[in-house]
Amino acid sequence: MTRGSAAGAGAGREGGGVRAGRPDAAAEDHGAPGAAVPYGRLPDARRTFDLVRRHFSPGLALTGNFAGRGAVEVGAEGCRVTLSDGRDVLDFGSYAVPLLGHRHPAVVAAVHRALDTLPTATRSLANPVTAQAATTLVRYFEDALPKVYFGLNGADAVEVAVKLARLASGRSRVLAVRGGFHGKSIGALALTHSPLFRAGLRGSVTDVAHADPEDAEAVRRAASRDGLAAIVFEPVQGENGVVPLPPAVLRRWCADARRHGAFVIADEIQCGLRRCGERSVALAEGLPVDAVLVGKPLGGGVVPLSAVVCSEELYAPLAADPFLHSATFGGHPLACAALPPALAAIEQRAAHGRELADAMSEGLARLRSRHAGAVREVRGRGLLWGVDYASPHLAGDVVLGLADAGLLVSPCLSRPTTVRLLPSLACGPPEVGEALAALDHATAEAAARCTEK
Ligand SMILES: Cc1ncc(COP(=O)(O)O)c(C=O)c1O
């Protein structure tokens, strides 16, 4: 992995880099209201970990320490993140947000323009930036779905889609999928399958059942028995260790949902927007969906933004009463300003993404055959891959080796045997080669340690 000289990189930032804030920032109490953010002047990882421990949680400090090998993040550009010890690590993680890499110049420029013009907006007057973002998004999906709701994160989009489905159908039951992940807010959590995220919580605000992804009859049975408001699925499950759902089952589910008047909601917050090759996996498969949910890279990896893009029928309750669901910062113009350049840049890099996807697919197949005892399976599509190891211990050991080598990946909380790899469009073949070499080395070392024991 490319490692900058710790002394050199540190000296550059100490000298008052662009994120330095006021010149005397390092001498201030960073807990004081209005104190400058310590990036740049304070590559003081220990203090950051102390604050994380004190104000957030010891576990978060521990995992941050583990991922950065004692350093904290202080900057990023393209596919590399700069750490406080001067290292530059290669980002194949970040939970699928920086599809374009970090700080894409066209996105940063558009957000700057919005910041200089009308940053928070009034929230009561109509805003051209937000309206333009909606029309750009509808056109991006080739006018298949005309209505838009903007949220700040994925769980917002999930909650709004389910709320609309319940109101528009007059029914309350929802069918989600085993292994599916849809967020952790109390409504979205009802759809998320893993009990890990529900520990200590009893009951659910939405009446949800979970279908087995192999059970083609699941929707027909559920719809004829109970009356169903909606089915919600990730065409490629991300958090569950990267599991593409069988297209034939999805086709059957969608047809049965339609026949019984249930809405079809494709959660593409992780797999959509060309992460898995297509603008929408569901639309590309020809599935008759009522909504596609997008988030993560929608704000270009620069600002938080998510959206429900849906049919007139699903949106009808909100069309009738626009205040039925709203949020102070939903459709925030700073976030919406990022959308048009982000989608344009994703399209510009789509062919490049296919080349990277081929390189990942071939390289990971080689990894699998070189380490057949340690690697159980490799799953994925496009720029979303999961390497499944023989045990959670082995996978954890590999992640530790990758952190040492300077490769950032995203573990899967609900499937701890899988290491998730999310290369960005800012990578070239050399970075894919670098990541695959690091993975090969970390796998060999971890497997050897495992056999020693
Ligand atoms: C498919 C899917 N849906 C919903 C979410 C929730 O998104 P957020 O964490 O932005 O609320 C995620 C997050 O990983 C996701 O992968």
Side-chain angles (χ1 to χ4, degrees):
M1 225 48 37
T2 310
R3 289 174 193 235
S5 133
R13 271 175 230 107
E14 290 295 333
V18 285
R19 300 179 189 85
R22 293 194 302 280
D24 57 347
E28 295 177 3
D29 175 359
H30 297 290
V37 172
Y39 292 161
R41 281 192 67 84
L42 187 75
D44 178 356
R46 203 165 349 126
R47 174 152 177 81
T48 302
F49 289 123
D50 281 347
L51 296 178
V52 171
R53 207 172 292 117
R54 193 186 321 160
H55 300 300
F56 306 140
S57 87
L60 208 55
L62 197 70
T63 51
N65 203 335
F66 173 94
R69 311 310 284 137
V72 296
E73 58 192 13
V74 293
E77 201 71 57
C79 54
R80 307 243 175 220
V81 176
T82 304
L83 304 186
S84 53
D85 60 6
R87 284 182 301 143
D88 278 335
V89 297
L90 181 57
D91 190 358
F92 270 46
S94 292
Y95 296 92
V97 174
L99 176 62
L100 288 169
H102 293 274
R103 304 186 69 248
H104 187 281
V107 179
V108 170
V111 174
H112 266 296
R113 274 196 301 279
L115 188 61
D116 289 340
T117 318
L118 188 64
T120 22
T122 62
R123 321 307 300 157
S124 54
L125 296 168
N127 187 281
V129 173
T130 300
Q132 180 58 47
T135 199
T136 303
L137 186 55
V138 167
R139 282 199 202 127
Y140 183 76
F141 290 125
E142 295 170 351
D143 296 305
L145 300 160
K147 304 300 259 189
V148 176
Y149 174 88
F150 282 125
L152 293 181
N153 53 50
D156 285 353
V158 170
E159 299 231 351
V160 170
V162 169
K163 184 172 173 180
L164 289 176
R166 288 178 54 170
L167 287 167
S169 68
R171 304 170 183 166
S172 58
R173 197 161 174 76
V174 173
L175 193 66
V177 184
R178 285 202 189 145
F181 183 84
H182 302 283
K184 297 183 188 171
S185 61
I186 204 97
L189 196 55
L191 279 75
T192 292
H193 180 241
S194 173
L196 198 74
F197 305 117
R198 256 196 304 277
L201 291 169
R202 247 182 261 132
S204 150
V205 288
T206 291
D207 180 11
V208 180
H210 289 91
D212 185 321
E214 303 294 328
D215 180 2
E217 296 293 320
V219 173
R220 187 191 56 74
R221 272 198 317 274
S224 49
R225 205 174 41 227
D226 306 320
L228 206 56
I231 61 168
V232 183
F233 58 83
E234 295 171 83
V236 180
Q237 293 181 332
E239 218 300 300
N240 188 32
V242 190
V243 178
L245 297 187
V249 172
L250 289 182
R251 263 193 295 282
R252 181 66 197 279
W253 283 357
C254 293
D256 285 343
R258 282 294 174 111
R259 194 168 312 116
H260 289 90
F263 290 102
V264 175
I265 297 168
D267 179 347
E268 304 210 17
I269 286 159
Q270 186 155 165
C271 68
L273 304 181
R274 296 212 183 269
R275 171 59 69 184
C276 284
E278 312 292 348
R279 293 180 183 196
S280 153
V281 177
L283 290 173
E285 297 273 1
L287 299 177
V289 294
D290 295 283
V292 175
L293 314 184
V294 284
K296 298 208 184 253
L298 189 63
V302 173
V303 283
L305 183 65
S306 68
V308 177
V309 194
C310 69
S311 63
E312 301 268 7
E313 209 186 345
L314 180 60
Y315 198 84
L318 211 42
D321 175 1
F323 301 108
L324 184 73
H325 193 92
S326 61
T328 306
F329 292 124
H332 195 290
L334 267 191
C336 287
L339 184 152
L343 295 185
I346 289 171
E347 288 316 291
Q348 257 169 22
R349 305 287 282 166
H352 175 67
R354 283 189 286 276
E355 283 168 21
L356 294 182
D358 289 345
M360 286 295 291
S361 169
E362 285 159 24
L364 291 175
R366 275 197 305 276
L367 180 91
R368 161 92 180 85
S369 56
R370 274 171 56 76
H371 304 282
V375 177
R376 244 183 349 206
E377 197 183 1
V378 168
R379 297 179 294 265
R381 245 167 107 166
L383 302 175
L384 175 58
W385 291 89
V387 179
D388 201 44
Y389 285 91
S391 70
H393 177 83
L394 193 54
D397 207 3
V398 169
V399 173
L400 193 60
L402 294 176
D404 278 333
L407 180 69
L408 200 62
V409 295
S410 291
C412 297
L413 292 179
S414 41
R415 196 184 289 253
T417 50
T418 300
V419 175
R420 191 170 15 162
L421 303 164
L422 297 144
S424 76
L425 292 166
C427 292
E431 284 78 24
V432 169
E434 191 179 321
L436 290 169
L439 198 60
D440 185 66
H441 183 72
T443 303
E445 299 260 297
R449 273 193 294 274
C450 240
T451 31
E452 275 165 22
K453 281 183 188 155

